[in-house]
Amino acid sequence: MNTFFSIVVPVYNRPEETRELLESLQKQDFQKDFEVVIVEDGSSQSSEEVVNRFREGLNISYYFKENSGPGDSRNFGMQKAKGNYFIILDSDCILPKQYLSEVDKELTKEFVHCFGGPDAADDSFTTIQKAINYVMTSFLTTGGIRGGKKAVGKFQPRSFNMGISKDAFEKAGGFGRIHPGEDPDLTFRIWKAGFETRLFPKAFVYHKRRIDWNKFYIQVNKFGMVRPILNKWHPGTAKPTYWFPTLFMLGLIIAMVVAMAGLILPLLLYAFYFLVLFLDALIKSKSLIVALLSIFALLIQFTGYGIGFFKSTMLLNFSNKKPEELFPKLFFKKK
């Protein structure tokens, strides 16, 4: 397939992030033509002025629309795009200069209608950003559950770094209104439409995730609430491993209780797991502080996700209401 890339980026009140992303796109070593489509999702802080600075160096278009969520904005951008292969990026990503060349190399070697790439922590990231990046990507945490190089099951791309052919986009129907969760929902529909997905390990991005601990908890809590909804919509995709964070935190509480009664073995097993996690984070980050914060980040991740997953599972199984009625904040309204 002779591919022409359209890079689609939804933006919401992030002009500075947009500038950094466009700078990294301008520095690509890719020799073929590509276009950039910026979709302003009803922002009060416009990125149009930033976009205009890059018009001479990039083939770029800018659209402003009413706020309807990132999924709908990506659909809007892909409908406006001129390419036959879309690359979806979040505005808080920065690309290494070889990113597009690596994508093109993978597609030339073995074409696939949908791919995802990993995210990495740049040296400029804060210690909190690096710790959160670690727990979001490590096989020792939920990185293995969602699908990766050494993952449990098929790879599930994420829309901060995702490619999809125009053909797959049209046949799968694009992103839905749920958020978060629009990524795996689309992936499952892509599979049902007969297309495959694959990880491009060298097509990584630096994903900043500009969030603090409280925002991180809210984010992973929503991830947990979304998963049972996706299991209900796509029954064949449900896995026992999705219960892991909930059972992990419940087991930790039980381990601490029985330790006070003199039975310390369960708590020692947890201590061993935390030690392995700490050493792995230390080796990968080369930072003692990041490794220590990674344990704290893991506890926030598993607590937030676990509570969200359990709450959502109970409500969906013991209520006659639809997910949109039970969890209205997880769905953008139709425009």
Side-chain angles (χ1 to χ4, degrees):
M1 182 178 180
N2 187 18
T3 55
F4 176 71
F5 295 137
S6 292
I7 298 170
V8 179
V9 185
V11 178
Y12 183 71
N13 290 336
R14 300 289 178 89
E16 182 60 23
E17 286 184 357
T18 304
R19 179 190 63 78
E20 292 177 334
L21 172 58
L22 292 178
E23 283 180 348
S24 69
L25 280 167
Q26 204 168 36
K27 295 175 183 176
Q28 292 296 296
D29 62 12
F30 189 57
Q31 298 301 308
K32 301 177 185 178
D33 291 334
F34 64 92
E35 71 164 341
V36 182
V37 180
I38 303 295
V39 181
E40 191 90 64
D41 187 26
S43 301
S44 57
Q45 301 175 37
S46 173
S47 297
E48 186 173 12
E49 184 180 338
V50 170
V51 170
N52 288 336
R53 298 179 209 161
F54 292 86
R55 291 194 181 277
E56 290 186 9
L58 292 171
N59 176 10
I60 191 167
S61 55
Y62 171 88
Y63 299 95
F64 183 93
K65 52 178 278 300
E66 291 185 34
N67 179 252
S68 59
D72 187 61
S73 296
R74 295 179 191 118
N75 292 341
F76 180 92
M78 287 186 279
Q79 289 163 355
K80 295 290 185 181
K82 299 178 179 66
N84 59 4
Y85 207 101
F86 310 127
I87 296 178
I88 314 298
L89 300 171
D90 276 358
S91 62
D92 59 354
C93 290
I94 298 174
L95 308 186
K97 66 178 182 179
Q98 74 280 5
Y99 174 83
L100 287 176
S101 296
E102 291 294 343
V103 171
D104 188 58
K105 191 185 303 180
E106 287 279 358
L107 290 174
T108 302
K109 180 177 66 176
E110 184 183 350
F111 185 82
V112 68
H113 282 272
C114 181
F115 77 86
D119 53 334
D122 186 65
D123 290 339
S124 64
F125 285 14
T126 67
T127 52
I128 292 177
Q129 286 174 326
K130 291 176 181 178
I132 290 175
N133 178 270
Y134 172 79
V135 300
M136 290 294 285
T137 59
S138 174
F139 181 70
L140 295 172
T141 61
T142 60
I145 295 174
R146 76 179 188 179
K149 192 173 181 181
K150 301 177 181 178
V152 180
K154 296 169 68 176
F155 177 67
Q156 300 177 23
R158 291 295 186 265
S159 57
F160 65 82
N161 180 12
M162 178 182 186
I164 179 172
S165 71
K166 184 176 182 178
D167 189 26
F169 163 68
E170 291 176 344
K171 290 182 179 176
F175 291 94
R177 294 187 300 111
I178 192 170
H179 178 73
E182 70 271 25
D183 308 345
D185 176 51
L186 175 58
T187 297
F188 299 150
R189 285 186 280 111
I190 286 171
W191 291 345
K192 288 178 182 178
F195 300 103
E196 295 295 323
T197 58
R198 195 168 85 243
L199 172 68
F200 289 4
K202 293 184 179 179
F204 66 89
V205 300
Y206 299 114
H207 195 193
K208 284 193 169 183
R209 291 192 178 91
R210 287 180 174 168
I211 52 179
D212 54 29
W213 293 121
N214 182 58
K215 290 179 180 176
F216 181 51
Y217 175 86
I218 293 172
Q219 182 186 62
V220 294
N221 183 251
K222 287 183 177 179
F223 288 159
M225 287 191 286
V226 159
R227 183 56 68 175
I229 298 173
L230 297 177
N231 291 345
K232 190 179 183 69
W233 287 352
H234 310 281
T237 64
K239 301 175 187 176
T241 50
Y242 293 146
W243 278 97
F244 177 67
T246 306
L247 297 177
F248 181 94
M249 294 309 299
L250 180 61
L252 180 58
I253 294 171
I254 293 173
M256 289 189 292
V257 171
V258 298
M260 290 187 290
L263 183 60
I264 64 169
L265 180 59
L267 197 57
L268 289 175
L269 293 175
Y270 272 93
F272 178 74
Y273 170 79
F274 289 131
L275 177 62
V276 171
L277 184 86
F278 169 80
L279 292 175
D280 185 60
L282 181 63
I283 292 169
K284 291 179 178 176
S285 69
K286 299 179 176 60
S287 168
L288 181 63
I289 297 176
V290 171
L292 289 170
L293 286 177
S294 294
I295 297 176
F296 183 63
L298 171 95
L299 292 172
I300 293 177
Q301 181 190 46
F302 278 13
T303 300
Y305 187 101
I307 290 174
F309 185 87
F310 182 77
K311 174 184 176 182
S312 181
T313 299
M314 293 299 105
L315 288 175
L316 287 171
N317 283 308
F318 295 101
S319 172
N320 293 323
K321 293 183 178 180
K322 295 180 179 180
E324 292 88 338
E325 298 173 304
L326 291 170
F327 308 103
K329 292 183 179 180
L330 298 179
F331 293 87
F332 279 90
K333 295 180 181 179
K334 293 181 181 179
K335 292 293 183 179

